[in-house]
Amino acid sequence: MSLACLPARVRLVDVSPRDGLQNERQPVPTEVKIELVHRLQAAGLREIEVTSYVSPKWVPQMADNRAVMAGLQRQPGVRYAVLVPNLKGLEAALADRPDEIVVFGAASEAFSQRNINCSIAESIERFAPVVEQARAAGVAVRGAISCAVGCPYEGEVAPARVGEVARRFKAIGVQRVDVADTIGVGTPRKVQRALEAVLAHYDLDHVSGHFHDTYGQALANTLAALQLGVWNFQSSVGGLGGCPYARGATGNVATEDVVYLLHGLGLDTGIDLEALAETGAWISERLGRPSGSRAGRALLARRAVACGANGGGQR
């Protein structure tokens, strides 16, 4: 594979504070969520999905959204995004000054009905006033297209349906879109077809990949997207997160693993991989589990061995 066909740089959005933590059964303390954001930005992340403004009835883990946003020590050049489901959520979010809001739509009718109890067309039309008001307030808007490759209820999703969601997003003013393999069933060519359908409506600078690793294909799918020129991706430190509506879906691809791949390809991320691995281990320990990042675990294990070897002869 020639590196000449790959983008020169890559931008990552770490979604662990929101997508990674939202389905944790035990409450995660507000101060831990805030520190996670601070550690991510210290490691070099310049886009972070912080929280959501969904009703606490449905997502109790995000009930402290305002406290989390208020506690951030914001850094210049870092974009702080939040997910909003409707106008009420937007109104609450705007008071906390996000740089970007995220709206969402599925490429599967069955998933849309089970997730938010309406059709794809209805779901996106409901977001039209949300997008309008956000942009009027000077807040950027990103749209997430879930089930862009496969659906837990319908099976394989046709690329044309993914393109139709992108077209509808574009029509209501969404500025950039995420192509999400929500249940992690994608393979490289299927992912490329979904991305190509979206690229008929958005340019390369405004399309991103969001891959889950259920079948161990997330890094291969990332490389497949890079080969198309896509240079924006979402990932989650420690591989945290999943989808409560998609049975069997494992976590997002780990940010550490993606960065290890990108650095191996000679691509610029601006991210300190060692600091990122430490962050993945730290938040995983707070959640009572090992990090889901293979690269993160390997890097820290190698460092521990090196420290042991260096210190073994000292008295």
Side-chain angles (χ1 to χ4, degrees):
M1 178 186 62
S2 172
L3 295 183
C5 66
L6 300 182
R9 64 189 176 99
V10 172
R11 178 171 58 197
L12 297 181
V13 180
D14 193 287
V15 301
S16 59
R18 198 279 299 175
D19 193 21
L21 297 180
Q22 68 177 1
N23 298 318
E24 289 293 320
R25 294 185 178 181
Q26 297 300 317
V28 179
T30 301
E31 59 271 19
V32 171
K33 297 174 183 176
I34 294 170
E35 184 171 352
L36 175 58
V37 175
H38 290 165
R39 284 173 176 259
L40 290 170
Q41 62 189 23
L45 269 299
R46 289 298 171 261
E47 294 202 36
I48 303 170
E49 201 166 295
V50 178
T51 187
S52 74
Y53 287 78
V54 178
S55 168
K57 175 183 176 182
W58 301 111
V59 188
Q61 190 67 255
M62 300 287 106
D64 60 352
N65 44 34
R66 302 210 66 183
V68 171
M69 291 294 285
L72 296 181
Q73 295 178 12
R74 303 192 186 204
Q75 288 187 354
V78 177
R79 175 178 284 194
Y80 304 92
V82 302
L83 183 141
V84 301
N86 48 38
L87 277 171
K88 183 177 180 181
L90 175 67
E91 291 167 2
L94 290 179
D96 296 329
R97 301 181 299 108
D99 299 302
E100 181 178 62
I101 65 160
V102 182
V103 297
F104 48 90
S108 157
E109 286 291 352
F111 192 86
S112 183
Q113 290 288 351
R114 297 206 186 194
N115 191 1
I116 53 177
N117 198 34
C118 67
S119 70
I120 295 171
E122 290 170 336
S123 71
I124 296 176
E125 191 58 35
R126 289 178 185 179
F127 277 121
V130 176
V131 174
E132 182 180 8
Q133 290 192 27
R135 293 191 61 176
V139 176
V141 180
R142 174 159 49 94
I145 305 176
S146 59
C147 293
V149 181
C151 169
Y153 312 116
E154 294 184 10
E156 192 165 333
V157 173
R161 295 172 66 179
V162 184
E164 176 60 16
V165 176
R167 185 191 69 77
R168 291 179 181 273
F169 269 150
K170 187 81 168 182
I172 66 169
V174 171
Q175 294 162 290
R176 58 178 184 157
V177 293
D178 311 332
V179 179
D181 181 13
T182 306
I183 58 173
V185 296
T187 53
R189 190 63 194 111
K190 290 180 180 179
V191 164
Q192 286 183 335
R193 291 191 183 107
L195 287 166
E196 286 165 349
V198 173
L199 287 167
H201 304 280
Y202 285 87
D203 62 38
L204 282 169
D205 291 344
H206 297 95
V207 174
S208 58
H210 181 139
F211 306 126
H212 286 232
D213 206 30
T214 311
Y215 286 85
Q217 298 295 295
L219 291 180
N221 292 337
T222 300
L223 184 56
L226 287 166
Q227 290 173 321
L228 291 181
V230 173
W231 60 282
N232 296 281
F233 297 92
Q234 279 89 48
S235 56
S236 179
V237 75
L240 299 180
C243 178
Y245 302 99
R247 181 174 297 178
T250 57
N252 298 289
V253 65
T255 306
E256 304 96 308
D257 296 354
V258 175
V259 172
Y260 185 81
L261 168 69
L262 297 173
H263 287 182
L265 292 169
L267 304 181
D268 178 30
T269 67
I271 295 172
D272 182 335
L273 183 53
E274 291 280 347
L276 192 63
E278 291 172 0
T279 299
W282 171 82
I283 187 60
S284 298
E285 182 181 1
R286 294 299 182 279
L287 298 176
R289 66 172 71 102
S291 171
S293 166
R294 292 185 178 185
R297 294 197 307 268
L299 286 167
L300 295 179
R302 184 177 67 186
R303 189 171 69 182
V305 169
C307 290
N310 291 336
Q314 295 179 356
R315 294 290 187 272

